[in-house]
Amino acid sequence: MKRIWIWTWLFLLLPAFAFANLQAAETDTTKTNWWVVGVETSNNSSFFGRNTATRYPYIAPTVTYVHHTGIWASATAHQLFGTEDFIDETDLSVGYSFKVRKRLEVDLSYSHFIFGKNTPLVNASTTDALSARTAYDWKYLYTALTGSYIIGSGNDIFTVLENSRYVPLNPLWQGNIPVGLDPKISVTAGTQHFYDTHTTTTTKKTSTGGGTTGSGPIGGILDPLKPGGGNGSNNGGTTTEETTTTTTTTNVSRFRVLNYDLKIPVVVYYGNFEFEPSWRYSIPVNKLEGDESRAQSFYTLSVKYTF
């Protein structure tokens, strides 16, 4: 059974996509808006660090419009190789990017998801998402925190903390084409839903016959038919035990760290084109029972054209 494809990169890529083009646009005051056409392909897909034993490589073209005011809109189509539908998922997003200070940036976005009729995607129950991203440039370190509220049959919250720094490589050979590394370390946390089962066993003792429970007037102490008030002897009675077992199952939601990532992209600019081959190593943690996720490498190529 075909299983998993998720859009972790959606909440990381689209806001960063808008930021990158806004920054590039600031150097050109003659433009009032920008279009960006891009495509991304990878050897496998994941959901906030979660993956399956079966690999699902994909290709995802994207069209983004960015207005000089910071408002942007984007449409992304996802095609998994070897699936029945021509398009497995379509994402429609709108957002607003702005600067609070010179080094502090904020991006707010809303996304709506449309799935193919026969899509194998496990996130097909997801309909919408609200996302907020803040990024601060510490000069030697670039920190971004993204929070996403996923709306669907089960609502979830995910956060991604990312630290990176672009390192230009041109000074090494004095090349004319801008080339650089943009290594990133990120930690993903989110809600996990699972069933928690508790079993409680209780034992109740009951007496019959002569009895030792001390029944009668004033607890049997003054019962003339029971010398000594019936204390200290069974008087021919019997004691039985009744055991009751109760099982309770509850739906539990817990917010925990889900994944650690190391990503090393090589960024190449050529005119209006941007090429970004990258390698990412993902380590899932706090896995629930039945989770097939494992640490593995992802190889991705992204190409963008701005006009």
PDB file of all heavy atoms in Angstrom, residues 266-290:
ATOM      1  N   VAL A 266      24.120  23.849  -1.844  1.00  0.00           N
ATOM      2  CA  VAL A 266      25.042  24.659  -2.638  1.00  0.00           C
ATOM      3  C   VAL A 266      24.182  25.591  -3.485  1.00  0.00           C
ATOM      4  O   VAL A 266      23.347  25.135  -4.272  1.00  0.00           O
ATOM      5  CB  VAL A 266      25.939  23.794  -3.535  1.00  0.00           C
ATOM      6  CG1 VAL A 266      26.842  24.683  -4.382  1.00  0.00           C
ATOM      7  CG2 VAL A 266      26.758  22.828  -2.698  1.00  0.00           C
ATOM      8  N   VAL A 267      24.351  26.899  -3.313  1.00  0.00           N
ATOM      9  CA  VAL A 267      23.513  27.880  -4.001  1.00  0.00           C
ATOM     10  C   VAL A 267      24.321  28.538  -5.118  1.00  0.00           C
ATOM     11  O   VAL A 267      25.397  29.092  -4.869  1.00  0.00           O
ATOM     12  CB  VAL A 267      22.990  28.947  -3.022  1.00  0.00           C
ATOM     13  CG1 VAL A 267      22.033  29.891  -3.732  1.00  0.00           C
ATOM     14  CG2 VAL A 267      22.316  28.290  -1.828  1.00  0.00           C
ATOM     15  N   VAL A 268      23.788  28.464  -6.336  1.00  0.00           N
ATOM     16  CA  VAL A 268      24.459  29.028  -7.506  1.00  0.00           C
ATOM     17  C   VAL A 268      23.511  30.002  -8.199  1.00  0.00           C
ATOM     18  O   VAL A 268      22.368  29.649  -8.514  1.00  0.00           O
ATOM     19  CB  VAL A 268      24.884  27.927  -8.499  1.00  0.00           C
ATOM     20  CG1 VAL A 268      25.595  28.548  -9.699  1.00  0.00           C
ATOM     21  CG2 VAL A 268      25.763  26.893  -7.821  1.00  0.00           C
ATOM     22  N   TYR A 269      23.972  31.252  -8.409  1.00  0.00           N
ATOM     23  CA  TYR A 269      23.177  32.261  -9.107  1.00  0.00           C
ATOM     24  C   TYR A 269      23.774  32.481 -10.502  1.00  0.00           C
ATOM     25  O   TYR A 269      24.971  32.684 -10.650  1.00  0.00           O
ATOM     26  CB  TYR A 269      23.178  33.583  -8.343  1.00  0.00           C
ATOM     27  CG  TYR A 269      22.523  33.499  -6.987  1.00  0.00           C
ATOM     28  CD1 TYR A 269      23.294  33.310  -5.832  1.00  0.00           C
ATOM     29  CD2 TYR A 269      21.144  33.622  -6.840  1.00  0.00           C
ATOM     30  CE1 TYR A 269      22.708  33.240  -4.588  1.00  0.00           C
ATOM     31  CE2 TYR A 269      20.546  33.545  -5.595  1.00  0.00           C
ATOM     32  CZ  TYR A 269      21.330  33.353  -4.478  1.00  0.00           C
ATOM     33  OH  TYR A 269      20.750  33.281  -3.240  1.00  0.00           O
ATOM     34  N   TYR A 270      22.885  32.458 -11.489  1.00  0.00           N
ATOM     35  CA  TYR A 270      23.326  32.711 -12.864  1.00  0.00           C
ATOM     36  C   TYR A 270      22.256  33.573 -13.529  1.00  0.00           C
ATOM     37  O   TYR A 270      21.222  33.056 -13.970  1.00  0.00           O
ATOM     38  CB  TYR A 270      23.520  31.412 -13.630  1.00  0.00           C
ATOM     39  CG  TYR A 270      24.112  31.606 -15.000  1.00  0.00           C
ATOM     40  CD1 TYR A 270      25.478  31.830 -15.173  1.00  0.00           C
ATOM     41  CD2 TYR A 270      23.295  31.582 -16.132  1.00  0.00           C
ATOM     42  CE1 TYR A 270      26.014  32.021 -16.435  1.00  0.00           C
ATOM     43  CE2 TYR A 270      23.819  31.777 -17.394  1.00  0.00           C
ATOM     44  CZ  TYR A 270      25.182  31.998 -17.544  1.00  0.00           C
ATOM     45  OH  TYR A 270      25.712  32.193 -18.789  1.00  0.00           O
ATOM     46  N   GLY A 271      22.495  34.879 -13.564  1.00  0.00           N
ATOM     47  CA  GLY A 271      21.482  35.785 -14.092  1.00  0.00           C
ATOM     48  C   GLY A 271      20.249  35.751 -13.192  1.00  0.00           C
ATOM     49  O   GLY A 271      20.336  35.941 -11.981  1.00  0.00           O
ATOM     50  N   ASN A 272      19.100  35.481 -13.807  1.00  0.00           N
ATOM     51  CA  ASN A 272      17.854  35.379 -13.059  1.00  0.00           C
ATOM     52  C   ASN A 272      17.598  33.972 -12.526  1.00  0.00           C
ATOM     53  O   ASN A 272      16.566  33.725 -11.897  1.00  0.00           O
ATOM     54  CB  ASN A 272      16.666  35.802 -13.933  1.00  0.00           C
ATOM     55  CG  ASN A 272      16.677  37.291 -14.231  1.00  0.00           C
ATOM     56  OD1 ASN A 272      17.419  38.051 -13.609  1.00  0.00           O
ATOM     57  ND2 ASN A 272      15.857  37.729 -15.172  1.00  0.00           N
ATOM     58  N   PHE A 273      18.511  33.077 -12.786  1.00  0.00           N
ATOM     59  CA  PHE A 273      18.349  31.686 -12.339  1.00  0.00           C
ATOM     60  C   PHE A 273      19.024  31.462 -10.990  1.00  0.00           C
ATOM     61  O   PHE A 273      20.040  32.082 -10.670  1.00  0.00           O
ATOM     62  CB  PHE A 273      18.955  30.718 -13.361  1.00  0.00           C
ATOM     63  CG  PHE A 273      18.105  30.503 -14.578  1.00  0.00           C
ATOM     64  CD1 PHE A 273      18.342  31.234 -15.732  1.00  0.00           C
ATOM     65  CD2 PHE A 273      17.075  29.569 -14.563  1.00  0.00           C
ATOM     66  CE1 PHE A 273      17.558  31.037 -16.862  1.00  0.00           C
ATOM     67  CE2 PHE A 273      16.288  29.369 -15.688  1.00  0.00           C
ATOM     68  CZ  PHE A 273      16.531  30.115 -16.843  1.00  0.00           C
ATOM     69  N   GLU A 274      18.451  30.568 -10.222  1.00  0.00           N
ATOM     70  CA  GLU A 274      19.053  30.110  -8.977  1.00  0.00           C
ATOM     71  C   GLU A 274      18.989  28.581  -8.934  1.00  0.00           C
ATOM     72  O   GLU A 274      17.919  27.993  -9.058  1.00  0.00           O
ATOM     73  CB  GLU A 274      18.323  30.675  -7.757  1.00  0.00           C
ATOM     74  CG  GLU A 274      18.889  30.175  -6.428  1.00  0.00           C
ATOM     75  CD  GLU A 274      18.095  30.667  -5.230  1.00  0.00           C
ATOM     76  OE1 GLU A 274      17.388  31.680  -5.363  1.00  0.00           O
ATOM     77  OE2 GLU A 274      18.173  30.027  -4.162  1.00  0.00           O
ATOM     78  N   PHE A 275      20.140  27.961  -8.784  1.00  0.00           N
ATOM     79  CA  PHE A 275      20.227  26.503  -8.704  1.00  0.00           C
ATOM     80  C   PHE A 275      20.648  26.110  -7.284  1.00  0.00           C
ATOM     81  O   PHE A 275      21.580  26.705  -6.728  1.00  0.00           O
ATOM     82  CB  PHE A 275      21.243  25.965  -9.714  1.00  0.00           C
ATOM     83  CG  PHE A 275      20.948  26.337 -11.136  1.00  0.00           C
ATOM     84  CD1 PHE A 275      21.455  27.518 -11.682  1.00  0.00           C
ATOM     85  CD2 PHE A 275      20.160  25.527 -11.944  1.00  0.00           C
ATOM     86  CE1 PHE A 275      21.192  27.877 -12.987  1.00  0.00           C
ATOM     87  CE2 PHE A 275      19.884  25.875 -13.254  1.00  0.00           C
ATOM     88  CZ  PHE A 275      20.400  27.050 -13.782  1.00  0.00           C
ATOM     89  N   GLU A 276      19.975  25.117  -6.729  1.00  0.00           N
ATOM     90  CA  GLU A 276      20.302  24.718  -5.365  1.00  0.00           C
ATOM     91  C   GLU A 276      20.243  23.198  -5.197  1.00  0.00           C
ATOM     92  O   GLU A 276      19.229  22.635  -4.796  1.00  0.00           O
ATOM     93  CB  GLU A 276      19.360  25.388  -4.358  1.00  0.00           C
ATOM     94  CG  GLU A 276      19.727  25.098  -2.903  1.00  0.00           C
ATOM     95  CD  GLU A 276      18.797  25.777  -1.922  1.00  0.00           C
ATOM     96  OE1 GLU A 276      18.721  27.023  -1.961  1.00  0.00           O
ATOM     97  OE2 GLU A 276      18.136  25.066  -1.147  1.00  0.00           O
ATOM     98  N   PRO A 277      21.335  22.506  -5.501  1.00  0.00           N
ATOM     99  CA  PRO A 277      21.407  21.089  -5.115  1.00  0.00           C
ATOM    100  C   PRO A 277      21.737  21.001  -3.625  1.00  0.00           C
ATOM    101  O   PRO A 277      22.499  21.819  -3.100  1.00  0.00           O
ATOM    102  CB  PRO A 277      22.554  20.562  -5.976  1.00  0.00           C
ATOM    103  CG  PRO A 277      23.409  21.759  -6.236  1.00  0.00           C
ATOM    104  CD  PRO A 277      22.498  22.956  -6.265  1.00  0.00           C
ATOM    105  N   SER A 278      21.160  20.031  -2.938  1.00  0.00           N
ATOM    106  CA  SER A 278      21.388  19.946  -1.494  1.00  0.00           C
ATOM    107  C   SER A 278      21.369  18.500  -1.016  1.00  0.00           C
ATOM    108  O   SER A 278      20.764  17.618  -1.646  1.00  0.00           O
ATOM    109  CB  SER A 278      20.333  20.749  -0.733  1.00  0.00           C
ATOM    110  OG  SER A 278      19.047  20.180  -0.907  1.00  0.00           O
ATOM    111  N   TRP A 279      22.037  18.297   0.100  1.00  0.00           N
ATOM    112  CA  TRP A 279      22.030  17.017   0.809  1.00  0.00           C
ATOM    113  C   TRP A 279      21.509  17.262   2.218  1.00  0.00           C
ATOM    114  O   TRP A 279      21.901  18.222   2.871  1.00  0.00           O
ATOM    115  CB  TRP A 279      23.439  16.426   0.871  1.00  0.00           C
ATOM    116  CG  TRP A 279      23.559  15.267   1.826  1.00  0.00           C
ATOM    117  CD1 TRP A 279      23.197  13.978   1.586  1.00  0.00           C
ATOM    118  CD2 TRP A 279      24.092  15.294   3.156  1.00  0.00           C
ATOM    119  NE1 TRP A 279      23.456  13.189   2.697  1.00  0.00           N
ATOM    120  CE2 TRP A 279      24.009  13.978   3.680  1.00  0.00           C
ATOM    121  CE3 TRP A 279      24.625  16.306   3.970  1.00  0.00           C
ATOM    122  CZ2 TRP A 279      24.445  13.651   4.960  1.00  0.00           C
ATOM    123  CZ3 TRP A 279      25.050  15.990   5.255  1.00  0.00           C
ATOM    124  CH2 TRP A 279      24.966  14.663   5.726  1.00  0.00           C
ATOM    125  N   ARG A 280      20.588  16.419   2.656  1.00  0.00           N
ATOM    126  CA  ARG A 280      20.014  16.558   3.997  1.00  0.00           C
ATOM    127  C   ARG A 280      20.020  15.207   4.700  1.00  0.00           C
ATOM    128  O   ARG A 280      19.647  14.188   4.108  1.00  0.00           O
ATOM    129  CB  ARG A 280      18.577  17.087   3.915  1.00  0.00           C
ATOM    130  CG  ARG A 280      17.870  17.174   5.264  1.00  0.00           C
ATOM    131  CD  ARG A 280      16.565  17.940   5.137  1.00  0.00           C
ATOM    132  NE  ARG A 280      15.592  17.264   4.308  1.00  0.00           N
ATOM    133  CZ  ARG A 280      14.637  16.460   4.793  1.00  0.00           C
ATOM    134  NH1 ARG A 280      14.553  16.223   6.087  1.00  0.00           N
ATOM    135  NH2 ARG A 280      13.773  15.900   3.972  1.00  0.00           N
ATOM    136  N   TYR A 281      20.469  15.220   5.952  1.00  0.00           N
ATOM    137  CA  TYR A 281      20.430  13.997   6.758  1.00  0.00           C
ATOM    138  C   TYR A 281      19.418  14.207   7.877  1.00  0.00           C
ATOM    139  O   TYR A 281      19.521  15.154   8.661  1.00  0.00           O
ATOM    140  CB  TYR A 281      21.804  13.673   7.345  1.00  0.00           C
ATOM    141  CG  TYR A 281      21.858  12.292   7.957  1.00  0.00           C
ATOM    142  CD1 TYR A 281      21.827  11.160   7.154  1.00  0.00           C
ATOM    143  CD2 TYR A 281      21.942  12.128   9.335  1.00  0.00           C
ATOM    144  CE1 TYR A 281      21.882   9.883   7.711  1.00  0.00           C
ATOM    145  CE2 TYR A 281      21.991  10.858   9.898  1.00  0.00           C
ATOM    146  CZ  TYR A 281      21.966   9.740   9.080  1.00  0.00           C
ATOM    147  OH  TYR A 281      22.006   8.488   9.632  1.00  0.00           O
ATOM    148  N   SER A 282      18.435  13.317   7.934  1.00  0.00           N
ATOM    149  CA  SER A 282      17.321  13.468   8.859  1.00  0.00           C
ATOM    150  C   SER A 282      17.345  12.351   9.902  1.00  0.00           C
ATOM    151  O   SER A 282      17.507  11.172   9.559  1.00  0.00           O
ATOM    152  CB  SER A 282      15.993  13.425   8.079  1.00  0.00           C
ATOM    153  OG  SER A 282      14.895  13.538   8.950  1.00  0.00           O
ATOM    154  N   ILE A 283      17.173  12.728  11.190  1.00  0.00           N
ATOM    155  CA  ILE A 283      17.182  11.760  12.284  1.00  0.00           C
ATOM    156  C   ILE A 283      15.869  11.872  13.056  1.00  0.00           C
ATOM    157  O   ILE A 283      15.682  12.802  13.848  1.00  0.00           O
ATOM    158  CB  ILE A 283      18.361  11.995  13.243  1.00  0.00           C
ATOM    159  CG1 ILE A 283      19.679  12.005  12.474  1.00  0.00           C
ATOM    160  CG2 ILE A 283      18.382  10.946  14.345  1.00  0.00           C
ATOM    161  CD1 ILE A 283      20.874  12.358  13.343  1.00  0.00           C
ATOM    162  N   PRO A 284      14.916  10.946  12.862  1.00  0.00           N
ATOM    163  CA  PRO A 284      13.667  10.989  13.617  1.00  0.00           C
ATOM    164  C   PRO A 284      13.870  10.466  15.039  1.00  0.00           C
ATOM    165  O   PRO A 284      14.648   9.539  15.272  1.00  0.00           O
ATOM    166  CB  PRO A 284      12.743  10.060  12.819  1.00  0.00           C
ATOM    167  CG  PRO A 284      13.678   9.115  12.115  1.00  0.00           C
ATOM    168  CD  PRO A 284      14.932   9.892  11.841  1.00  0.00           C
ATOM    169  N   VAL A 285      13.177  11.069  15.999  1.00  0.00           N
ATOM    170  CA  VAL A 285      13.266  10.656  17.401  1.00  0.00           C
ATOM    171  C   VAL A 285      11.851  10.570  17.982  1.00  0.00           C
ATOM    172  O   VAL A 285      10.888  11.029  17.381  1.00  0.00           O
ATOM    173  CB  VAL A 285      14.125  11.633  18.233  1.00  0.00           C
ATOM    174  CG1 VAL A 285      15.568  11.632  17.758  1.00  0.00           C
ATOM    175  CG2 VAL A 285      13.541  13.047  18.166  1.00  0.00           C
ATOM    176  N   ASN A 286      11.757   9.955  19.179  1.00  0.00           N
ATOM    177  CA  ASN A 286      10.474   9.805  19.882  1.00  0.00           C
ATOM    178  C   ASN A 286       9.416   9.160  18.988  1.00  0.00           C
ATOM    179  O   ASN A 286       8.274   9.640  18.884  1.00  0.00           O
ATOM    180  CB  ASN A 286       9.976  11.158  20.399  1.00  0.00           C
ATOM    181  CG  ASN A 286      10.850  11.708  21.497  1.00  0.00           C
ATOM    182  OD1 ASN A 286      11.356  10.968  22.337  1.00  0.00           O
ATOM    183  ND2 ASN A 286      11.054  13.024  21.502  1.00  0.00           N
ATOM    184  N   LYS A 287       9.782   8.073  18.344  1.00  0.00           N
ATOM    185  CA  LYS A 287       8.869   7.391  17.439  1.00  0.00           C
ATOM    186  C   LYS A 287       7.824   6.596  18.221  1.00  0.00           C
ATOM    187  O   LYS A 287       8.124   5.986  19.238  1.00  0.00           O
ATOM    188  CB  LYS A 287       9.645   6.468  16.503  1.00  0.00           C
ATOM    189  CG  LYS A 287      10.622   7.195  15.589  1.00  0.00           C
ATOM    190  CD  LYS A 287      11.255   6.262  14.578  1.00  0.00           C
ATOM    191  CE  LYS A 287      12.100   5.196  15.258  1.00  0.00           C
ATOM    192  NZ  LYS A 287      12.752   4.302  14.270  1.00  0.00           N
ATOM    193  N   LEU A 288       6.592   6.603  17.702  1.00  0.00           N
ATOM    194  CA  LEU A 288       5.535   5.814  18.301  1.00  0.00           C
ATOM    195  C   LEU A 288       5.574   4.389  17.764  1.00  0.00           C
ATOM    196  O   LEU A 288       6.250   4.093  16.771  1.00  0.00           O
ATOM    197  CB  LEU A 288       4.169   6.437  17.995  1.00  0.00           C
ATOM    198  CG  LEU A 288       3.929   7.855  18.529  1.00  0.00           C
ATOM    199  CD1 LEU A 288       2.546   8.348  18.105  1.00  0.00           C
ATOM    200  CD2 LEU A 288       4.062   7.887  20.046  1.00  0.00           C
ATOM    201  N   GLU A 289       4.851   3.489  18.407  1.00  0.00           N
ATOM    202  CA  GLU A 289       4.817   2.095  17.977  1.00  0.00           C
ATOM    203  C   GLU A 289       4.270   2.006  16.558  1.00  0.00           C
ATOM    204  O   GLU A 289       3.248   2.612  16.223  1.00  0.00           O
ATOM    205  CB  GLU A 289       3.941   1.284  18.927  1.00  0.00           C
ATOM    206  CG  GLU A 289       3.898  -0.202  18.596  1.00  0.00           C
ATOM    207  CD  GLU A 289       3.056  -0.994  19.583  1.00  0.00           C
ATOM    208  OE1 GLU A 289       2.565  -0.385  20.573  1.00  0.00           O
ATOM    209  OE2 GLU A 289       2.887  -2.202  19.379  1.00  0.00           O
ATOM    210  N   GLY A 290       4.959   1.271  15.711  1.00  0.00           N
ATOM    211  CA  GLY A 290       4.543   1.122  14.324  1.00  0.00           C
ATOM    212  C   GLY A 290       5.141   2.147  13.384  1.00  0.00           C
ATOM    213  O   GLY A 290       4.952   2.048  12.160  1.00  0.00           O
TER     214      GLY A 290
END
